[in-house]
């Protein structure tokens, strides 16, 4: 039986009648009261610091009982529970109720914990161990070393949702944090349902990058059904790694995926993803088989490639490369998590070289596009227009001889090319003579009902007045390829108007030269003026006297901008639209839309062609 500490009973005799024994008793009582007061906050027993709401000690058996918000600290380990008994002779502690043992690397807990607080070994009933994203549980978990555990009737998972979407159950788990976990007689559980049985399984428990199997993943889709994937991670070196994944679809078949990453410096890095699947579902797709004969319908071999790279080169050069491609135009819709560009109009392969000077920038950029706006998922790419190359050279404004006048220039060369025809046929429109459409929609078989870009998958209507006409028609078709050289010269004169206003006038002279495959060359010159008036007010709120206090700044800036084109000269040309009545066409917006196909001003190369 433990003996609870009790308050001493003092005699009521006058102080003058105390003997020496009475004095010793009073001193002992005072020391005991001090001890009890200290125990009510924090005290030390052996190698442990202890804190609890209530503490009792049996001095004969050297047992300490703790109740209420118990905290024990020993050898950089923190233990907490509702009730604990400490056996001082054997250096053991018995913890009950909301038990946790924690340090910076892991947390161990359960219903009950028996621990040797000198060696920090012991066992927990209905326990768990949590380290980073990894959790394993067991009816009994033995702590056999500083980071070693042995669990009986145990579960392992790295899925942090509750309950876990997946886990492995094993008859035993032997785990070493920073090493591996070894599961015997295990099976994979999806939620609470066991699925795949494995006689032996090894999983990594290391925070460092280590080669090994990763946690499985699952996916559900209407077209592919249930998909189960498992991956092997290969830590090639400190600056590169790779992941190889096998993914089995219920309906589509088995896919192989690969990922490779490298980081040679803070700037030089890259990542490449690839995938391959003989797709059973896609081979029977109605959209695909609409464009191929019955004899050409074997299983479609589908693949994708996506790579992004950046290299920091000597002499302030920087190289970027991005490659995106797939076996068919529907791949990004069926597998949006792999290419992540569902909804884009094209795949883009882009390569650029950039060089920075003290006040100038040179950029050489090229893009190869794969047109996704086609009805045929396995159609060709003759309709895509490629930017090969685009060269820009620009200068930041530089003051001219301390005059307050600043000068800058920009040069832009653009070349657009395609493997198909250098123009796009446009059919229909507002002209009654064009109502007999030369093309029909490939899916419905109906004529196009408005002036529109002709789908490359469309077929010709033999009754059309335009049937068999393959020549470029300047009043109907759009020029899509050619080159442009644009040179801009800018003069800027910023001026301060009083204390609160900045006045910035700017004059720009733009010179553009065009070359085409189907039309004579073209030119345009124009003068652009710009006047900007800027002002702003701000106020700082908070304690302005204390330099360490929090403060807030409210800043409002206003700019009035006027732009105009007082002079321009350009050649009348089909590039500026079908209408020849407008000598100098202008546009209300830079971006283009389907509405531009119905407009007389047409579509140009990009926004730099529009005023």
């Amino acid at each position: 039986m433990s003996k609870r500490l009790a308050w001493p009973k003092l005699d009521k005799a006058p102080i003058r009648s105390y003997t020496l024994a009475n004095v010793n008793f009073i001193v002992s009582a005072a020391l005991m009261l001090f001890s009890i007061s200290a125990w009510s906050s924090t005290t030390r027993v052996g190698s442990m610091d202890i804190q609890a709401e209530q503490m009792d000690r049996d001095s004969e058996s050297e047992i300490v009982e703790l109740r209420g918000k118990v905290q024990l600290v020993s050898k950089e380990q923190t233990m907490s529970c509702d009730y604990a008994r400490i056996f001082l002779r054997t250096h053991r502690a018995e913890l009950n109720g909301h038990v946790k043992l924690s340090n910076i690397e892991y947390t161990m807990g359960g219903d009950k914990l028996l621990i040797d607080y000198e060696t920090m070994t012991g066992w927990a009933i209905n326990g768990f161990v949590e380290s980073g994203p990894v959790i394993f549980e067991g009816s009994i978990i033995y702590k056999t070393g500083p980071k070693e555990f042995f669990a009986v009737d145990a579960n392992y998972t790295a899925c942090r949702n509750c309950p876990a979407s997946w886990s492995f159950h094993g008859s035993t788990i032997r785990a070493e944090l920073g090493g591996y976990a070894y599961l015997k007689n295990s099976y994979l559980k999806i939620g609470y349902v066991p699925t795949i049985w494995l006689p032996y399984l090894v999983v990594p428990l290391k925070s460092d990058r280590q080669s090994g199997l990763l946690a499985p993943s699952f996916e559900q889709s209407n077209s592919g059904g249930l998909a189960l994937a498992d991956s092997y991670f290969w830590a090639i070196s400190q600056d590169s790694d790779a992941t190889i994944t096998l993914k089995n679809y219920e309906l589509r078949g088995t896919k192989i995926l690969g990922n490779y990453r490298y980081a040679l410096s803070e700037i030089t890095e890259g990542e490449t993803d690839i995938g391959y699947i003989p797709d059973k579902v896609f081979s029977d797709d109605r959209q695909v088989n609409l464009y191929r004969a019955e004899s050409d319908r074997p299983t479609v071999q589908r693949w994708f490639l996506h790579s992004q790279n950046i290299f920091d080169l000597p002499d302030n050069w920087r190289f970027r490369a991005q490659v995106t491609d797939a076996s068919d135009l529907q791949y990004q819709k069926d597998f949006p998590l792999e290419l992540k560009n569902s909804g884009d109009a094209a795949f883009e392969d882009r390569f650029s070289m950039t060089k920075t000077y003290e006040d100038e920038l040179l950029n050489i950029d090229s893009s190869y596009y794969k047109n996704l706006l086609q009805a045929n998922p396995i159609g060709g790419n003759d309709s895509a227009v490629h930017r090969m190359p685009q060269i820009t050279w620009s200068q930041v404004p530089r003051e001219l001889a301390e005059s307050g006048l600043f000068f800058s220039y920009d040069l832009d060369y653009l070349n657009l090319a395609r493997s198909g025809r250098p123009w796009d046929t446009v059919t229909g429109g507002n002209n009654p003579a064009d109502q007999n459409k030369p093309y029909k929609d490939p899916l419905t078989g109906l004529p196009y009902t408005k002036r529109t870009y002709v789908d490359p998958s469309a077929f010709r209507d033999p009754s059309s007045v335009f049937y068999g006409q393959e020549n470029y028609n300047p009043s109907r078709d759009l020029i899509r390829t050619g080159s442009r050289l644009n040179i801009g010269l800018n003069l800027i004169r910023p001026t301060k108007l009083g204390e609160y206003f900045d006045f910035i006038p700017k004059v720009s002279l733009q010179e553009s030269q065009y070359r085409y495959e189907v039309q004579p060359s073209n030119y345009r010159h124009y003068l652009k003026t710009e006047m900007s008036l800027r002002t702003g007010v701000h106020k700082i709120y908070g304690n302005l006297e204390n330099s360490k206090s929090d403060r807030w700044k409210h800043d409002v800036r206003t700019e009035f901008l006027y732009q105009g084109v007082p002079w321009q000269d350009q050649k009348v040309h089909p590039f500026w639209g079908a209408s020849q009545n407008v000598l100098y066409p202008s546009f209300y917006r830079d971006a283009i839309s389907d509405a531009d196909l119905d407009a007389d001003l047409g579509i140009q190369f990009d926004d730099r062609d529009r005023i």
Side-chain angles (χ1 to χ4, degrees):
M1 293 290 294
S2 62
K3 298 179 180 179
R4 182 169 181 176
L5 296 173
W7 292 91
K9 295 181 179 180
L10 302 179
D11 294 333
K12 296 183 179 180
I15 295 178
R16 63 177 179 272
S17 65
Y18 284 171
T19 63
L20 182 60
N22 297 130
V23 175
N24 290 336
F25 181 80
I26 293 174
V27 173
S28 299
L31 291 175
M32 186 175 294
L33 287 171
F34 176 78
S35 177
I36 292 175
S37 176
W39 275 60
S40 63
S41 55
T42 303
T43 189
R44 188 171 184 84
V45 176
S47 61
M48 282 198 303
D49 292 320
I50 300 175
Q51 183 177 4
E53 292 180 344
Q54 184 177 337
M55 309 183 190
D56 297 331
R57 176 168 181 169
D58 187 336
S59 300
E60 293 181 3
S61 58
E62 297 190 45
I63 298 176
V64 178
E65 293 188 5
L66 310 171
R67 294 180 178 86
K69 298 181 181 180
V70 179
Q71 297 283 340
L72 310 174
V73 180
S74 177
K75 297 185 179 297
E76 299 181 353
Q77 314 279 332
T78 300
M79 294 171 278
S80 62
C81 64
D82 297 332
Y83 169 75
R85 301 179 71 197
I86 302 174
F87 304 89
L88 300 178
R89 290 179 181 174
T90 57
H91 307 293
R92 292 187 301 116
E94 178 185 317
L95 286 70
N96 293 272
H98 302 94
V99 177
K100 282 189 178 182
L101 185 154
S102 305
N103 61 19
I104 61 174
E105 296 183 272
Y106 65 88
T107 297
M108 180 181 182
D111 295 339
K112 182 176 182 179
L113 175 65
L114 292 172
I115 193 79
D116 185 320
Y117 56 82
E118 292 294 333
T119 62
M120 295 309 297
T121 57
W123 51 276
I125 298 177
N126 295 327
F128 69 89
V129 176
E130 180 177 347
S131 177
V134 173
I135 301 176
F136 56 89
E137 305 168 315
S139 57
I140 301 178
I141 296 182
Y142 297 91
K143 188 176 186 299
T144 57
K147 299 181 183 179
E148 292 80 35
F149 301 89
F150 185 84
V152 178
D153 189 23
N155 288 307
Y156 160 86
T157 184
C159 186
R160 301 307 300 269
N161 58 323
C162 184
S165 301
W166 65 268
S167 62
F168 284 101
H169 178 86
S171 57
T172 62
I173 297 178
R174 180 168 57 89
E176 179 185 359
L177 300 181
Y180 295 89
Y182 304 88
L183 288 75
K184 287 186 178 180
N185 191 27
S186 65
Y187 53 84
L188 173 66
K189 292 198 301 183
I190 308 301
Y192 297 106
V193 181
T195 55
I196 303 174
W197 176 78
L198 299 169
Y200 196 74
L201 179 66
V202 180
V203 293
L205 300 178
K206 301 183 178 183
S207 58
D208 296 334
R209 296 164 58 254
Q210 298 290 332
S211 300
L213 291 174
L214 301 179
S217 62
F218 307 92
E219 183 181 311
Q220 174 67 40
S221 64
N222 294 331
S223 58
L226 178 65
L228 171 65
D230 202 2
S231 303
Y232 178 79
F233 178 76
W234 178 20
I236 302 173
S237 63
Q238 289 295 323
D239 50 28
S240 64
D241 57 49
T243 303
I244 302 172
T245 302
L246 283 178
K247 191 172 188 178
N248 186 67
Y249 290 88
E250 179 183 3
L251 302 178
R252 293 186 183 277
T254 302
K255 175 184 285 188
I256 301 176
L257 297 166
N259 171 271
Y260 173 73
R261 303 183 302 175
Y262 66 90
L264 304 181
S265 68
E266 293 184 358
I267 297 178
T268 301
E269 61 181 8
E271 183 172 3
T272 299
D273 289 280
I274 58 174
Y276 169 80
I277 179 174
D279 197 330
K280 302 174 184 177
V281 173
F282 189 66
S283 302
D284 296 327
D285 190 277
R286 174 182 176 274
Q287 187 79 359
V288 177
N289 294 325
L290 185 66
Y291 298 95
R292 59 179 185 167
E294 186 72 29
S295 58
D296 299 331
R297 298 185 183 181
T299 300
V300 178
Q301 311 299 312
R302 305 185 78 185
W303 54 267
F304 87 94
L305 168 65
H306 179 67
S307 180
Q308 290 182 303
N309 305 270
I310 179 171
F311 296 92
D312 194 23
L313 303 176
D315 200 22
N316 292 329
W317 281 97
R318 186 166 295 178
F319 173 74
R320 293 177 176 87
Q322 172 186 296
V323 177
T324 303
D325 202 358
S327 56
D328 55 86
L329 309 183
Q330 195 171 305
Y331 193 96
Q332 83 283 2
K333 298 179 182 178
D334 293 339
F335 308 103
L337 297 179
E338 295 174 7
L339 283 175
K340 299 180 181 179
N341 67 336
S342 180
D344 289 354
F347 290 144
E348 181 182 18
D349 299 341
R350 186 173 182 179
F351 306 89
S352 69
M353 290 282 291
T354 304
K355 179 176 175 59
T356 55
Y357 299 88
E358 183 176 354
D359 55 1
E360 293 176 308
L361 178 67
L362 172 63
N363 184 58
I364 305 172
D365 203 351
S366 294
S367 293
Y368 178 88
Y369 296 96
K370 190 169 186 178
N371 183 17
L372 301 179
L373 302 179
Q374 301 185 57
N376 184 1
I378 53 177
N381 199 40
D382 289 348
S383 61
V385 179
H386 314 293
R387 189 169 53 101
M388 292 187 169
Q390 183 171 12
I391 303 174
T392 58
W393 194 340
S394 59
Q395 177 201 45
V396 298
R398 180 186 301 172
E399 188 175 11
L400 297 176
E402 300 182 357
S403 62
L405 187 65
F406 290 80
F407 169 80
S408 68
Y409 66 85
D410 58 87
L411 181 147
D412 176 84
Y413 173 77
L414 173 67
N415 183 69
L416 299 178
R418 67 171 9 164
S419 57
R421 297 183 309 184
W423 73 87
D424 278 342
T425 296
V426 177
T427 184
N430 299 321
N431 187 345
D434 289 342
Q435 295 305 310
N436 191 6
K437 312 295 187 302
Y439 292 96
K440 289 187 177 183
D441 185 277
L443 295 181
T444 66
L446 299 176
Y448 285 109
T449 58
K450 66 175 184 177
R451 177 179 167 91
T452 182
Y453 164 71
V454 176
D455 190 312
S457 304
F459 56 89
R460 289 187 178 276
D461 182 358
S463 63
S464 168
V465 295
F466 296 120
Y467 179 70
Q469 182 175 338
E470 296 294 340
N471 297 325
Y472 167 75
N473 186 335
S475 64
R476 184 194 66 210
D477 299 334
L478 296 176
I479 299 175
R480 298 304 310 278
T481 66
S483 61
R484 179 194 66 209
L485 175 63
N486 188 82
I487 302 175
L489 305 177
N490 310 297
L491 287 176
I492 309 170
R493 181 63 169 87
T495 305
K496 192 77 174 178
L497 298 181
E499 184 178 356
Y500 301 105
F501 293 92
D502 293 315
F503 178 62
I504 307 175
K506 178 180 178 180
V507 178
S508 301
L509 177 63
Q510 301 291 327
E511 168 72 24
S512 299
Q513 295 289 331
Y514 296 85
R515 297 290 184 270
Y516 313 101
E517 296 182 49
V518 294
Q519 280 287 307
S521 60
N522 188 17
Y523 69 86
R524 182 177 65 187
H525 335 288
Y526 68 90
L527 187 68
K528 182 178 180 180
T529 59
E530 179 179 306
M531 289 180 287
S532 172
L533 183 64
R534 303 175 186 176
T535 186
V537 293
H538 71 270
K539 187 173 182 179
I540 300 176
Y541 300 89
N543 188 350
L544 305 182
E545 297 179 357
N546 185 358
S547 61
K548 296 183 179 179
S549 66
D550 292 334
R551 280 171 275 184
W552 297 265
K553 181 179 180 181
H554 185 200
D555 198 348
V556 178
R557 297 180 182 271
T558 304
E559 179 178 9
F560 299 94
L561 180 65
Y562 168 81
Q563 292 179 325
V565 181
W567 171 79
Q568 63 177 316
D569 178 29
Q570 65 186 41
K571 184 178 180 181
V572 176
H573 197 280
F575 184 71
W576 307 118
S579 174
Q580 303 300 312
N581 298 324
V582 182
L583 182 59
Y584 303 124
S586 60
F587 304 85
Y588 291 100
R589 64 187 187 278
D590 292 336
I592 64 171
S593 68
D594 290 343
D596 291 276
L597 289 169
D598 291 321
D600 291 333
L601 301 182
I603 297 176
Q604 289 72 44
F605 290 159
D606 58 25
D607 61 320
R608 299 204 65 170
D609 297 320
R610 297 195 156 196
I611 296 179

